[in-house]
């Protein structure tokens, strides 16, 4: 089966600019997650979707970050405006919610300068 | 709140050496526990899991036993290979499809 697809793979932007990341989960997976992985740290959940709805966005900095999942399939994560501390790898993952363990994408490495 | 703590890295071993990466957790109750591996340039992959106390997860020669008495889930391998060089993450979750709480990761470097 195809894996979780993410794009772009790398992105460099200046602070205060905006950026968007795209994720296509494994077909049929109802649950989609966005994690932020800062260098030297473990991934931290930003937002979790179940189909179209948000399950958990308690760690999402809502003043600058937004995410949507249209039609319960693809998802987009946006940062506007970006700060230096947003430099990280943004990981998307999906799960069928009937088994433990997700499938992660390769991530988007964001550098804010 | 819930948390996971791993031993600090990087860990450098010679090929065929014995590996232990320590992982302890803080949680109220008994979550499911996981080890994920991240090879250079790749995404996180599930290595093994244990869903209840005293369970042993195993995969690719790696093992970890869920010890509720010591709230630990240490990763072990009897003989590491150069191809095992990666970053290893311990994590916990409360339900199927629930969010994962990760440790900070431990980088393993295996030299020939």
């Amino acid at each position: 089966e195809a894996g979780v697809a993410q794009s772009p793979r790398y992105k460099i932007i200046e602070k205060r600019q905006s950026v968007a990341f795209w994720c296509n989960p494994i077909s049929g997976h109802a649950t989609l997650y966005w994690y932020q992985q800062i260098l030297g740290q473990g991934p931290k959940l930003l937002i979790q979707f179940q189909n179209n709805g948000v399950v958990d966005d308690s760690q999402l900095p809502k003043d600058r970050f937004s995410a949507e999942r249209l039609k319960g399939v693809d998802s987009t994560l946006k940062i506007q405006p970006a700060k230096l501390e947003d430099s990280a790898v943004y990981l998307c993952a999906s799960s069928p919610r009937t088994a433990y363990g997700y499938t992660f994408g390769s991530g988007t490495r964001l550098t804010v300068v | 709140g819930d948390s996971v703590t791993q031993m600090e890295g990087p860990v450098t071993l010679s090929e065929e050496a014995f590996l232990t990466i320590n992982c302890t957790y803080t949680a109220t109750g008994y979550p499911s526990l996981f080890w994920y591996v991240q090879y250079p340039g790749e995404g996180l992959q599930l290595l093994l899991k244990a869903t209840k106390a005293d369970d042993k997860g195993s995969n690719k020669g790696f093992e970890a036993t869920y010890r509720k008495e010591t709230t630990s889930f240490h990763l072990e391998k009897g003989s590491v290979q150069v191809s095992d060089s990666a970053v290893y993450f311990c994590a916990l979750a409360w339900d199927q499809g629930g969010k994962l709480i990760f440790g900070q990761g431990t980088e393993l470097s295996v030299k020939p």
Side-chain angles (χ1 to χ4, degrees), chain B residues 17-30:
Chain B
F18 184 86
L19 168 71
T20 300
I21 299 178
N22 290 338
C23 169
T24 58
Y25 69 90
T26 300
T28 305
Y30 304 111

Side-chain angles (χ1 to χ4, degrees), chain B residues 44-97:
Chain B
L44 285 161
Q45 301 174 26
L46 178 63
L47 182 59
L48 53 83
K49 67 179 186 286
T51 58
K52 60 182 187 296
D54 299 325
D55 269 1
K56 176 185 283 188
S58 60
N59 186 25
K60 300 180 180 179
F62 291 89
E63 293 184 340
T65 301
Y66 190 160
R67 304 282 189 200
K68 65 178 181 181
E69 301 85 2
T70 53
T71 62
S72 64
F73 193 55
H74 304 323
L75 182 68
E76 297 181 335
K77 187 175 185 182
S79 176
V80 293
Q81 305 300 312
V82 173
S83 57
D84 294 326
S85 298
V87 181
Y88 292 82
F89 292 91
C90 186
L92 68 83
W94 285 104
D95 55 23
Q96 292 178 350

